Amino acid sequence: RVTASEVIGAEVLPPIIASLRREHPRLAIELVLSNRIDDLLQQAADIAVRMFRPTQGALVATRIGEIELGFHAHRDYLARQGVPASLEALQGHTVIGFDRETAFIRAYLARVRQPPMWERSFFGLRADSDLAQLAAIRAGVGIGVCQVPLARRDPKLVRVLPRALTMKLDTWLVMHEDLRHSPRCSVAFAAIAAGLKRYVAGHARRQRTDAAA
């Protein structure tokens, strides 16, 4: 039983799981998509992808790396509405954002200190589902936040205001230490960790290439 955020679970893990299943066809996977923090100590899941450093004891944890977030929009939207040159210019655009604040959002807002840019009323499209926000960005509804390595997979998505949003998710893969010697969990843990590290490393390599150019 693997739990991950909506975007990681729907966009990043499926090819990793496909490869894992090809090597171990008798291995059954339960994939739970949720932005809620499942408690591994209570066995709500066997393996979890978490966007913060785990603090609980009795866990096996592997740091995956940092996943950068950034503003993105479909190139057709930008062709119609223009490319914003500043955060203030976003007021003339449809911005995609949250409907209800979560603990994660509140913690981020406390750091960035950019009201009213991140107030609920500012968003032209509000959705608490990260997948719904991603779908809206891809459909050309407006400008929203997307994982940079994910957006790089789609040539129709363009990053805007790259210096205006500086946010990175410290990503970890964790499981209960009692499962360390479970062949099924060990194999799945290793495969998922390797796949997620490739996902993060691909973006890091692209950044170095862009800097060199």
Side-chain angles (χ1 to χ4, degrees):
R1 187 176 178 85
V2 179
T3 184
S5 68
E6 289 183 338
V7 172
I8 292 293
E11 297 284 340
V12 182
L13 289 185
I16 298 173
I17 292 174
S19 177
L20 175 62
R21 287 273 300 159
R22 284 194 295 270
E23 294 186 21
H24 303 278
R26 298 181 63 185
L27 184 64
I29 304 291
E30 294 179 13
L31 184 58
V32 182
L33 305 190
S34 174
N35 292 334
R36 183 172 55 86
I37 300 173
D38 285 319
D39 191 348
L40 297 184
L41 297 183
Q42 301 300 321
Q43 297 183 334
D46 299 312
I47 298 173
V49 184
R50 289 183 169 170
M51 302 306 185
F52 58 90
R53 186 185 183 95
T55 57
Q56 293 173 309
L59 295 178
V60 177
T62 294
R63 186 174 185 270
I64 301 300
E66 293 182 331
I67 299 178
E68 186 177 4
L69 302 180
F71 286 122
H72 291 82
H74 194 285
R75 63 186 183 188
D76 290 347
Y77 171 86
L78 297 176
R80 294 193 310 270
Q81 302 296 330
V83 180
S86 65
L87 281 173
E88 291 71 22
L90 286 177
Q91 296 185 43
H93 286 266
T94 298
V95 181
I96 300 164
F98 60 86
D99 185 35
R100 293 171 295 181
E101 283 190 8
T102 64
F104 175 80
I105 292 172
R106 285 192 293 272
Y108 177 67
L109 295 182
R111 294 203 314 269
V112 297
R113 300 177 182 176
Q114 290 177 343
M117 191 61 60
W118 296 109
E119 292 181 357
R120 177 181 180 276
S121 60
F122 182 76
F123 303 125
L125 174 67
R126 296 187 287 267
D128 289 328
S129 167
D130 292 339
L131 287 179
Q133 292 186 25
L134 177 59
I137 296 171
R138 287 171 169 166
V141 173
I143 299 172
V145 175
C146 177
Q147 293 184 13
V148 175
L150 180 60
R152 287 191 184 277
R153 295 177 174 181
D154 187 345
K156 295 180 181 179
L157 296 186
V158 178
R159 188 172 185 182
V160 298
L161 301 175
R163 296 182 180 180
L165 179 64
T166 303
M167 184 176 181
K168 296 182 179 180
L169 302 175
D170 193 23
T171 307
W172 293 73
L173 189 67
V174 297
M175 70 177 177
H176 196 285
E177 65 178 6
D178 288 349
L179 301 175
R180 183 194 299 269
H181 302 296
S182 165
R184 291 176 298 171
C185 290
S186 296
V187 165
F189 189 92
I192 294 171
L196 289 174
K197 287 180 179 179
R198 287 193 298 269
Y199 173 70
V200 173
H203 172 53
R205 285 194 299 270
R206 178 67 179 270
Q207 283 185 314
R208 289 194 294 269
T209 301
D210 290 347

